[in-house]
Amino acid sequence: MRRILAIFQKVWVVYVLLAVFVSVTFLSNKMAFQNARLQTLSRLALGPEYWQALADKHGHLDDKMLDECVFYHRKVMEYVPFKAADAWNLTAFCYYKADKRALAGDAYEKAIKANPRFFWAYYNLGIIAFKDKKYVRAADMFRRGLAVDPRDTGEAIMSSKVYLDVLEAFQKKPEHVMEGLRAGYSSAKEMMDASMFCQLNPNATICTAPLPFDIAIF
Amino acid sequence: MPFLWKDFLTRRQVWLWIALAFGLWIAMFWNFFAGTNPLTSDALSYFEHTMLFAKTLTQGHFPLWSQQWAHGAPNQFFLQRIGCYNPVYEWAILFKALGASDIFAYLLMHALYYFLGMIGFFLLLKRIYSDDVAAFTGMIVLFFSALGTRMFDSYMLIIVNPLIWFFFFLVAFTQERKVHFFLGIIVTLMILETTYIPFFVLTILVGFVLVFPLVYAAQLGDILRGYRDFACQHKKIVIVGALLLMMASVPSGMLFQKMKEGSMALPGRHVTSALPGQDDALKVDAPARLSWAIPEDILFSSYFWEFHRFRLSLLYIPFFAWIMVCLGAVCGLNRRIIFYLLFGGLFFILGSPFVLPLYDFLFKHVFYFKYFRNLHFFLWFLLLPLFAVLLAEFMHQVFQMRQDPRFKKTGFGALVIVVHGALIGFLLHQGGWAMGTLLTVIGSLVFFMWVALGRAFKPSGLIFAGLLLIVAVEPFQVYRFLVKNTGPVVQTGPSISRPAAPATVSGGNIYYGSAWFNFLNERLDAQTIGKYFRYRFVVYDDVAVFDEKAVNLGLLVNLFRNEVDIALVAPGKLPRPNIRPESLMKHAQGFGDSGEGLKVLNETPNTIRIKTSFPVEKFLVYNDSYDKDWQVYVNGRRATLYRANVAFKGVWLNAGENVVEFRYGPFVLTAFHVLLLAMLNVFFYAIGWLWWQDSRRPV
């Protein structure tokens, strides 16, 4: 009996009790725990130097900045799963700005899977495909993007804190969102036509010259 | 008794390894000392305030007023923040005098203070365990944790160091009731009382007093009887100690009172729309209170366990600590461990508002809980050091088990292999681990296998060297990442060393300043404020009463922008109640430090003397914040100081030459501060001298 008691007079018993306490606490305070996670997420948010690099047409993200961008959006996906599409879209944008087009493409695919009614994911993937001379795919992406109701995209942006933070960092107003979409749809039509043309005439000037359009967030 | 080097090198060689650990630490963070990596966040303002204070002291002044901050503010707030009476600040003065740069002098002072704190921690652990190995283990785990990095982005160490020494002196005094230990308790409490917001420490001490009797009820009677006997034998010393503690509470009390008056504003802590004089600036608003607590700090820090992203403000404990936690599972549960867990648990709950509503309860029922925020500070002030004490307990028990003739080598060896194997498996599963972490685990495996299977041994240099290597290898890598990731900080606002030029002071929020200046700053646009602050002094022919209850912003803007020759004064007795019409059409005269009719003769932080010469009677406004503790003397005679132009100082001047002197605070106040500083210095070094004397006495 004494031996059995001696086994329980060890620190491991405290560990077990602590584990039970912590589990009960977190299970009964899920909302508070989620709030704590969101607080930490806001502290991880990317600083102005990132958005300046992203907003600039010739801006570039170095490896360190890319790592922070990817890490932050990964955490957004983990803590706010219903914002996964937004996080993938912005992750893709970071990859693109770090000259990692293949990874950007993969991320846009995941964004489309998470939210098939977001114009910019298709548009950006179409641009990437066109630059990679994958004209069939590019045409398909632009066609699918044009099929998305622009109001769905506008609503998705305006209801997402992730995007609103970016909007603020880019010093854009909400009306820029619809303006951007109008321009985007117009470009997408042109790019779809160009993609179909380039399928047949891959050596034409239009297919080899630098693109007048680039990927966009909004 | 002569000092024996041989004795020191053999029996006290742990000190050599402690010194080596200090050297390693300096090497890890040398970039900060060299000025390559900048200080950030609060550390930057603390550095500026500290060095300004040091510089002012060397010039023979105790700076009760800060002209640079928000166009003038009582400096007591900043002096309290840095704990200006702390004798270690004189070390920075000494280093400066020896030719060090400001940043090197400041950081070296802080580093030595940190080392002193760690020596205190080592001695505390030695007192508890009488075991050099356990004490060394606890000390180096704490030393190489992220606690030391807080000197580069925060001010926590100015509280942690004296807190550690307080507990050392308390334990030492309880074990051996000697005068120098008692004085140590008094001095550390004085330093803690006069540093920052003492409510954190007060809460920790209250918590200690509540938890200790629960666990040590049987010993409490003897302890208190021992204290009583000491008090009876050393009445004078106890009375002096009590008086010193009362003296040290005066600055905090004065600051508290000043804030309650409503004459100061701290918009970041306490947003108020009340008129100045109606609110307590020190109270903390709910969002500021609860926005970041212990769980958030731990969770946020956990994001960076891959280390290559490591930066400042993150909680980090050397991986060796977790090995000890695992091995500690087989240690016996004793009173000390229960005390550590209860004491630590209480503050973990207090610092985690969503766990249990303890903080909410205390906020409602204990007045001073309305005056502090940053609950996560308890993690750094108490929980981290307490965790290191617990690790020392585990190491002590492991070595005690080893010395026990009934010790089962193979059983312990198997446990060591299982624990280390599980940890390696965990690291491999997680991925992204640092090489230093793996080396720690391997080194620890070798170390504990040697402990388990080797012959019985005494603490030796090999053990200290092994422990130092095992604990420090991972931090060495982690802090290399930290140094690499700590980029240059972009300063966007004015600071002590770079006071804002008048034109740059705009409607942005101030951090701390006079309530009336804050009132102006929040309501007037940048152009108006910029235009007004072109001049340090403005001279008017006329004054008008300013109605505080119904602020006419349009009038203010008009008067300031057009520099109309009418000053506004707060309601009071005015020599000339009626405004002359011609004043509305004329411009006031503005001056910098000198001009035709006005010259600054000399100035110190607390005074300014100017000479004026105008052909007619004038009303002088000095654009430095008004405070009721300012006095003005004209030609040596006390004159009435008005609150002019809403927030600044004004005085009437007769025609002709006048020497005007503005003085802040009565002489008694300055003398009190200097006396307190002197007393702390005297007792600080007296403790060291008495202790040295006591150690040389034959046993």
Side-chain angles (χ1 to χ4, degrees):
Chain A
M1 188 62 185
R2 214 180 273 173
R3 268 194 180 173
I4 294 169
L5 274 175
I7 292 170
F8 284 94
Q9 284 169 344
K10 299 284 184 197
V11 171
W12 69 266
V13 173
V14 173
Y15 290 171
V16 170
L17 291 172
L18 272 175
V20 169
F21 174 74
V22 167
S23 306
V24 166
T25 303
F26 285 127
L27 285 172
S28 55
N29 286 289
K30 278 186 187 163
M31 179 82 94
F33 182 55
Q34 178 64 358
N35 283 341
R37 298 209 308 183
L38 293 177
Q39 282 280 7
T40 59
L41 203 56
S42 67
R43 196 172 276 204
L44 260 188
L46 305 179
E49 67 276 10
Y50 291 94
W51 301 120
Q52 272 162 21
L54 290 173
D56 189 335
K57 199 175 160 184
H58 304 290
H60 177 75
L61 286 188
D62 61 26
D63 285 343
K64 181 172 170 274
M65 291 163 82
L66 174 66
D67 180 63
E68 295 206 18
C69 176
V70 170
F71 182 73
Y72 169 64
H73 290 110
R74 196 168 80 210
K75 283 294 171 193
V76 168
M77 287 183 238
E78 194 183 317
Y79 290 171
V80 199
F82 59 89
K83 289 293 170 195
D86 302 342
W88 276 123
N89 272 306
L90 291 169
T91 302
F93 199 82
C94 289
Y95 276 130
Y96 187 85
K97 282 291 184 177
D99 297 328
K100 294 183 193 307
R101 280 218 303 260
L103 289 171
D106 291 341
Y108 276 125
E109 294 275 11
K110 290 185 174 117
I112 288 169
K113 203 172 168 185
N115 179 9
R117 293 182 317 171
F118 193 76
F119 165 78
W120 291 110
Y122 295 105
Y123 177 84
N124 292 334
L125 201 43
I127 295 283
I128 290 172
F130 193 96
K131 284 189 173 184
D132 290 342
K133 300 192 187 315
K134 292 174 182 166
Y135 301 117
V136 173
R137 183 166 167 69
D140 183 45
M141 286 298 126
F142 289 124
R143 182 184 53 75
R144 286 166 71 182
L146 286 166
V148 172
D149 188 333
R151 287 173 298 186
D152 288 343
T153 304
E155 208 178 287
I157 291 174
M158 297 312 295
S159 64
S160 165
K161 186 173 185 316
V162 178
Y163 269 107
L164 289 176
D165 286 346
V166 174
L167 208 59
E168 195 185 319
F170 274 50
Q171 294 174 343
K172 299 269 187 200
K173 293 189 179 145
E175 44 269 31
H176 285 124
V177 173
M178 291 319 285
E179 273 174 32
L181 274 171
R182 272 192 286 274
Y185 272 75
S186 170
S187 309
K189 178 83 177 54
E190 279 184 52
M191 288 304 302
M192 186 176 70
D193 293 339
S195 302
M196 289 192 298
F197 177 81
C198 289
Q199 283 176 47
L200 301 166
N201 304 285
N203 295 322
T205 314
I206 190 178
C207 311
T208 53
L211 267 185
F213 309 114
D214 204 353
I215 72 168
I217 295 181
F218 31 60
Chain B
M1 188 190 290
F3 186 78
L4 294 170
W5 279 104
K6 191 180 169 197
D7 176 60
F8 181 81
L9 286 170
T10 50
R11 287 175 45 206
R12 301 183 199 276
Q13 61 180 291
V14 66
W15 292 104
L16 283 176
W17 297 104
I18 290 175
L20 186 62
F22 292 165
L24 266 177
W25 192 92
I26 294 266
M28 285 180 191
F29 295 104
W30 181 251
N31 277 30
F32 286 95
F33 290 87
T36 314
N37 281 44
L39 300 179
T40 64
S41 191
D42 283 326
L44 194 55
S45 64
Y46 271 67
F47 156 66
E48 291 177 340
H49 286 295
T50 302
M51 295 317 287
L52 189 63
F53 172 68
K55 182 181 166 191
T56 318
L57 264 191
T58 51
Q59 290 167 351
H61 307 290
F62 197 95
L64 297 176
W65 185 261
S66 172
Q67 288 175 21
Q68 294 91 337
W69 201 273
H71 285 274
N75 205 30
Q76 183 59 38
F77 176 75
F78 296 115
L79 295 180
Q80 184 81 13
R81 279 203 339 170
I82 65 173
C84 65
Y85 309 97
N86 196 326
V88 305
Y89 288 138
E90 279 103 53
W91 302 352
I93 296 175
L94 173 66
F95 300 144
K96 271 285 295 176
L98 292 173
S101 64
D102 274 4
I103 190 70
F104 189 80
Y106 175 78
L107 283 179
L108 185 59
M109 176 268 297
H110 249 298
L112 292 176
Y113 193 29
Y114 181 48
F115 298 164
L116 188 63
M118 291 301 106
I119 289 171
F121 192 69
F122 172 78
L123 293 174
L124 170 64
L125 293 176
K126 260 203 80 162
R127 280 267 163 190
I128 297 171
Y129 301 110
S130 302
D131 178 348
D132 274 359
V133 175
F136 185 72
T137 304
M139 188 225 105
I140 53 169
V141 167
L142 183 65
F143 181 59
F144 285 108
S145 73
L147 182 65
T149 68
R150 300 318 304 260
M151 87 173 61
F152 306 120
D153 76 323
S154 180
Y155 45 86
M156 293 182 182
L157 294 179
I158 61 174
I159 296 171
V160 173
N161 291 334
L163 192 61
I164 287 172
W165 274 101
F166 166 77
F167 280 109
F168 163 74
F169 284 123
L170 183 67
V171 168
F173 180 68
T174 305
Q175 292 174 342
E176 298 174 79
R177 275 168 282 283
K178 295 191 175 174
V179 168
H180 54 277
F181 292 145
F182 176 76
L183 287 178
I185 292 173
I186 298 296
V187 165
T188 49
L189 281 178
M190 285 174 76
I191 292 174
L192 289 166
E193 266 188 290
T194 54
T195 302
Y196 190 53
I197 300 168
F199 300 135
F200 285 100
V201 170
L202 177 62
T203 308
I204 289 171
L205 296 181
V206 168
F208 179 81
V209 165
L210 289 174
V211 175
F212 187 85
L214 290 177
V215 181
Y216 292 97
Q219 291 88 342
L220 199 57
D222 286 337
I223 292 171
L224 292 175
R225 270 189 289 277
Y227 291 169
R228 184 200 61 198
D229 293 341
F230 177 87
C232 292
Q233 285 164 24
H234 301 93
K235 286 193 183 77
K236 284 182 188 162
I237 290 171
V238 171
I239 289 170
V240 165
L243 286 172
L244 285 172
L245 285 179
M246 275 165 42
M247 201 174 158
S249 68
V250 168
S252 306
M254 287 195 313
L255 178 66
F256 187 67
Q257 192 52 39
K258 189 114 193 126
M259 292 299 188
K260 273 186 85 71
E261 280 168 10
S263 59
M264 304 312 302
L266 274 163
R269 284 172 68 93
H270 183 74
V271 176
T272 176
S273 56
L275 276 178
Q278 296 178 1
D279 217 341
D280 187 343
L282 264 184
K283 277 190 185 164
V284 189
D285 291 333
R289 263 192 295 125
L290 298 174
S291 60
W292 197 265
I294 289 177
E296 285 84 355
D297 223 23
I298 294 174
L299 188 60
F300 187 72
S301 301
S302 71
Y303 298 158
F304 297 86
W305 73 272
E306 285 174 328
F307 296 142
H308 66 274
R309 266 183 233 106
F310 200 81
R311 54 195 204 200
L312 291 169
S313 309
L314 299 175
L315 178 68
Y316 162 74
I317 304 170
F319 197 79
F320 183 72
W322 306 113
I323 298 173
M324 286 308 306
V325 165
C326 293
L327 290 175
V330 299
C331 291
L333 204 57
N334 58 27
R335 221 184 280 272
R336 278 194 299 255
I337 292 178
I338 292 171
F339 170 73
Y340 302 150
L341 292 173
L342 283 178
F343 191 29
L346 174 67
F347 281 89
F348 184 84
I349 290 170
L350 178 62
S352 311
F354 77 78
V355 172
L356 283 173
L358 175 62
Y359 175 75
D360 288 339
F361 173 81
L362 292 172
F363 186 85
K364 284 189 189 108
H365 296 97
V366 180
F367 81 97
Y368 72 77
F369 272 78
K370 294 175 179 52
Y371 291 96
F372 71 94
R373 48 182 182 170
N374 293 325
L375 296 177
H376 63 288
F377 281 8
F378 286 120
L379 180 63
W380 298 89
F381 292 166
L382 179 68
L383 296 181
L384 186 53
L386 202 54
F387 181 61
V389 175
L390 185 65
L391 298 180
E393 171 75 39
F394 291 158
M395 185 61 97
H396 176 64
Q397 285 206 28
V398 163
F399 271 70
Q400 277 208 313
M401 272 192 264
R402 181 65 186 82
Q403 311 291 356
D404 190 333
R406 295 169 297 173
F407 177 68
K408 290 185 174 53
K409 286 185 183 183
T410 45
F412 187 73
L415 172 70
V416 166
I417 289 171
V418 165
V419 163
H420 288 79
L423 287 170
I424 290 174
F426 168 76
L427 288 175
L428 292 174
H429 176 259
Q430 284 288 109
W433 40 266
M435 181 55 71
T437 311
L438 189 64
L439 289 174
T440 295
V441 177
I442 293 170
S444 170
L445 174 64
V446 168
F447 178 82
F448 282 108
M449 285 308 288
W450 177 55
V451 169
L453 303 174
R455 289 186 214 156
F457 52 75
K458 285 185 280 190
S460 68
L462 203 56
I463 291 189
F464 298 126
L467 281 170
L468 179 59
L469 196 63
I470 293 163
V471 171
V473 65
E474 188 197 42
F476 197 80
Q477 188 177 17
V478 171
Y479 294 140
R480 278 183 65 193
F481 286 125
L482 181 149
V483 166
K484 190 176 151 211
N485 292 336
T486 313
V489 70
V490 176
Q491 287 253 255
T492 54
S495 67
I496 292 291
S497 55
R498 298 185 323 279
T504 63
V505 174
S506 69
N509 274 343
I510 60 170
Y511 170 69
Y512 163 77
S514 88
W516 281 109
F517 177 76
N518 184 52
F519 176 88
L520 266 186
N521 191 55
E522 283 180 342
R523 287 157 179 81
L524 297 183
D525 58 277
Q527 189 192 355
T528 307
I529 289 187
K531 191 157 187 199
Y532 180 75
F533 282 117
R534 282 189 303 149
Y535 303 114
R536 198 176 178 194
F537 302 94
V538 188
V539 166
Y540 297 88
D541 285 310
D542 233 326
V543 299
V545 174
F546 165 70
D547 185 355
E548 295 181 357
K549 301 283 186 304
V551 178
N552 188 335
L553 281 178
L555 173 67
L556 273 178
V557 170
N558 187 31
L559 290 175
F560 283 6
R561 266 206 203 156
N562 298 320
E563 295 168 346
V564 176
D565 195 15
I566 300 174
L568 298 174
V569 297
K573 194 175 161 187
L574 286 175
R576 193 196 299 141
N578 297 317
I579 303 169
R580 289 169 296 184
E582 58 267 28
S583 298
L584 289 163
M585 312 306 292
K586 284 162 47 190
H587 290 301
Q589 248 182 310
F591 297 87
D593 283 352
S594 67
E596 201 177 321
L598 186 147
K599 185 181 176 198
V600 173
L601 295 175
N602 62 43
E603 61 183 306
T604 69
N606 306 330
T607 62
I608 184 167
R609 262 173 98 232
I610 55 178
K611 187 172 177 181
T612 65
S613 174
F614 300 109
V616 297
E617 187 184 35
K618 295 282 188 186
F619 188 77
L620 170 73
V621 173
Y622 171 26
N623 283 331
D624 187 70
S625 294
Y626 172 87
D627 186 277
K628 69 174 180 48
D629 290 325
W630 275 96
Q631 305 129 43
V632 65
Y633 296 83
V634 179
N635 300 323
R637 291 176 66 179
R638 183 89 183 254
T640 305
L641 181 68
Y642 294 91
R643 181 159 54 82
N645 287 348
V646 180
F648 308 109
K649 296 188 253 298
V651 62
W652 275 109
L653 300 176
N654 291 326
E657 276 193 7
N658 293 289
V659 173
V660 185
E661 184 174 357
F662 294 92
R663 261 189 239 156
Y664 182 72
F667 172 74
V668 167
L669 185 64
T670 306
F672 169 81
H673 287 295
V674 171
L675 180 65
L676 181 57
L677 178 66
M679 297 299 276
L680 252 173
N681 270 275
V682 164
F683 282 95
F684 181 85
Y685 293 107
I687 292 164
W689 182 76
L690 288 169
W691 198 349
W692 173 254
Q693 292 288 97
D694 185 68
S695 68
R696 288 163 62 86
R697 211 170 283 149
V699 175

